[in-house]
Each structure stands twice: as C-alpha cells, then as structure tokens.
Amino acid sequence: MATVNPGWAGVYPAALTHFTPDGELDYDSTAGHLDWLVEQGAHGLIVGGTSGEFVGLNMSEHQRLIEVAVEAVAGRVPLIVGSGRYTTAESVALTEHAQRTGADGALVVQPYFQRPNRQEVLRHYRTVGLVGMPLMVYNIPANSASDPVSVADLALLHAEGVAHAVKSTLPTVNQIHEIRSATDESFRVFYGGITSPLEGIAGGAHAWVSGLLNVIVPEALQLWDALAVSDLPRARAAWQPIQDVARLVAHFRGEASDLAVYRGILTLKGRHAGSSRAPLLDLTPEQLRRLEVAMAS
C-alpha cells in the first residue's frame, strides 16, 4: 500500500506549462520556471494540473512534461504530477509512467465532461489506485462538470488505501475541517482555491496549492509561516498583498484567462513566462499596459 510523504505540507505552486507563441511545448523554459519556483522557496510543486494546461496536452507531451519536471526538481521538494485523463485506462498509464519516472505523487482529476455517477467515479479512483502510487484526488467540480467527491467518499477511499490526499478546489472552505475530521493525519488536505487560503490553512489544510502561487511564492511563505505559529494578526497582514494580486486576476476575468494574467505579471517582473496553447490567448499589449498600471498602483 502506498504511503504519503509526511513532508506534503506548505506552499505548492500549481506550475504553469510554457508554450512557444506558435503553440509548441517549451520544455526548457518550463524546466527553468520550475527551478525558479523551487529556488523561491516553494515547499513542493504541482505540475500538469489545471494551471499546467493538462487538457491541452496529448499523451506523449504529458509523459514528457512529467519527465522534464522530475529532472528539473531533482528531488529538492516533493513533486506531485497531474496524471488524470478522461479515460481510466489513460489515467492508469500516465500514473504508471509518473511512478517509473520518479514523481512523488499523482494528482488525479475527477473524470470530467460526461458527468460519471458516484459508482463510476469510485471505480475510476480504485482502478488508478492499484498502481500503488500516492494518489491525490483533484476535487474541482466547477471545471470537471461533475459532482464533487464527497467527504464521506474521500474518507472511504482513504480507508481502502486508494486515496492519500485531496486538492479541494471548491467554492467554500468548510470541507477542509470536515475532511480533517473524517480522516487521520496520514491523509493530506490541500486547499486549492484563490480566495480563502488564510481560512483554509487556519481550518486545517496541510498545504495551499494554486496557480496564483506562480507569482507570489515569497508572500505566500509569509502567510504560511504566520499561520504555522497561529499569529493571526501577522497572517492577516501577510494576506493583504496576496489579496491585492488576486483582485488583479479577478479584474481581468471574462476578458483574459487567469493563466494569461499570471504570465503577464511574470513578464512585468522580468521573468520569461511562456505562452498558453490555443484556444487560450496571452494578454494583448493594451491589457498588459493596464496590468502594469494596476500593479504600480
């Protein structure tokens, strides 16, 4: 039975995957970004998740991304790789590849789009779990168009030795302490949102994972460190600059993807940020100018 590294805790950026402007996957640039996130002090990394545009990768690209991530991280921090695909068979194959390559865990998204029922979802996770790799359930119903995996089902999958963690990307944070109450300390609970990391961590989340962390690792570390010693006034102060960045992202929502805004922020900070793959678009020059003005103010 697979066991989770007890070091799965802290600030885990959901890393961007870098593409060239013409849509080719830029492995070297991606590796450089992962190395920079580790050097910034991230406690661990998530690669090939939503912010990593896994839905835009074919199977061979997805496999190679995992290989590149393992090479770039080189064991310095825990590396959890997205290995969930729509079909159970591809999810199994990609998880097996991640295990052979040397990743520390597999992030497996809910089976998406076709709205599988509860028994189909449980069978999916049980089958992927047979690979024997530490498995994190990616609970993101807003993107998967499926019902969320319930707290009771998470506890069941954990009791069966199938699931060892959850990335909870739900609109509320009460699930964090509910999951903590329904499982034991070996089950790692990650808060996966952008709006309430302070509340999520204070409520018992072992870690915060978000695409926002591509641009605010030092600030997130200040929040984490304050909450680790239950210093709520310091945590509230640390949250303010993070909230300002989150508001920037929300300001562009509807006209640009969150990923485009993250890339824009990195670009304005002098970092190479790569591009997204179509249908996603990068910020226009006008949008980038607006972002620069907003960041300055």
Side-chain angles (χ1 to χ4, degrees):
M1 183 182 298
T3 56
V4 162
N5 185 327
W8 284 19
V11 172
Y12 277 59
L16 296 169
T17 300
H18 287 196
F19 298 89
T20 65
D22 60 358
E24 295 298 314
L25 210 160
D26 190 337
Y27 295 109
D28 290 341
S29 180
T30 300
H33 181 61
L34 300 180
D35 178 69
W36 179 71
L37 290 172
V38 173
E39 290 299 313
Q40 288 269 292
H43 297 120
L45 292 181
I46 304 284
V47 172
T50 301
S51 295
E53 297 184 56
F54 80 93
V55 293
L57 304 177
N58 63 38
M59 192 67 168
S60 62
E61 289 173 331
H62 207 153
Q63 290 173 328
R64 181 59 185 145
L65 177 63
I66 291 172
E67 295 166 2
V68 167
V70 171
E71 293 167 5
V73 174
R76 290 174 290 171
V77 297
L79 172 64
I80 304 169
V81 297
S83 64
R85 307 280 293 188
Y86 167 66
T87 68
T88 301
E90 283 194 338
S91 299
V92 168
L94 199 57
T95 302
E96 289 175 338
H97 182 76
Q99 186 179 54
R100 288 192 302 269
T101 303
D104 298 296
L107 174 68
V108 181
V109 69
Q110 300 158 262
Y112 44 85
F113 190 80
Q114 292 286 11
R115 297 180 177 271
N117 63 38
R118 174 178 177 269
Q119 288 305 320
E120 290 166 335
V121 170
L122 291 176
R123 182 179 63 176
H124 177 81
Y125 279 117
R126 286 166 176 154
T127 304
V128 178
L130 292 174
V131 174
M133 188 177 195
L135 187 154
M136 176 182 286
V137 173
Y138 190 0
N139 215 1
I140 184 167
N143 286 41
S144 66
S146 298
D147 292 334
V149 183
S150 69
V151 171
D153 283 340
L154 288 169
L156 175 63
L157 291 171
H158 175 54
E160 293 175 350
V162 171
H164 307 84
V166 63
K167 179 187 175 188
S168 183
T169 307
L170 299 171
T172 55
V173 297
N174 58 289
Q175 292 85 7
I176 299 297
H177 53 78
E178 290 172 1
I179 296 166
R180 288 295 307 268
S181 296
T183 57
D184 57 42
E185 186 61 23
S186 67
F187 189 78
R188 311 304 279 178
V189 182
F190 282 41
Y191 171 71
I194 189 174
T195 59
S196 306
L198 192 160
E199 294 84 353
I201 298 168
H206 296 99
W208 177 25
V209 52
S210 172
L212 185 67
L213 294 169
N214 282 279
V215 300
I216 55 155
V217 168
E219 294 86 347
L221 292 174
Q222 292 182 36
L223 175 65
W224 177 264
D225 291 343
L227 288 169
V229 295
S230 300
D231 188 340
L232 286 178
R234 182 155 64 99
R236 293 189 190 102
W239 166 237
Q240 188 57 56
I242 298 173
Q243 188 177 39
D244 291 341
V245 179
R247 285 172 175 159
L248 277 179
V249 176
H251 176 74
F252 283 90
R253 199 160 289 150
E255 60 173 307
S257 71
D258 290 3
L259 306 188
V261 180
Y262 302 151
R263 295 186 197 280
I265 292 172
L266 289 171
T267 298
L268 292 171
K269 288 184 174 184
R271 297 289 310 171
H272 180 63
S275 294
S276 285
R277 176 172 272 179
L280 297 184
L281 299 172
D282 295 330
L283 295 182
T284 66
E286 187 274 333
Q287 288 172 330
L288 192 61
R289 283 193 295 272
R290 284 168 46 208
L291 179 62
E292 184 174 23
V293 171
M295 288 175 62
S297 65

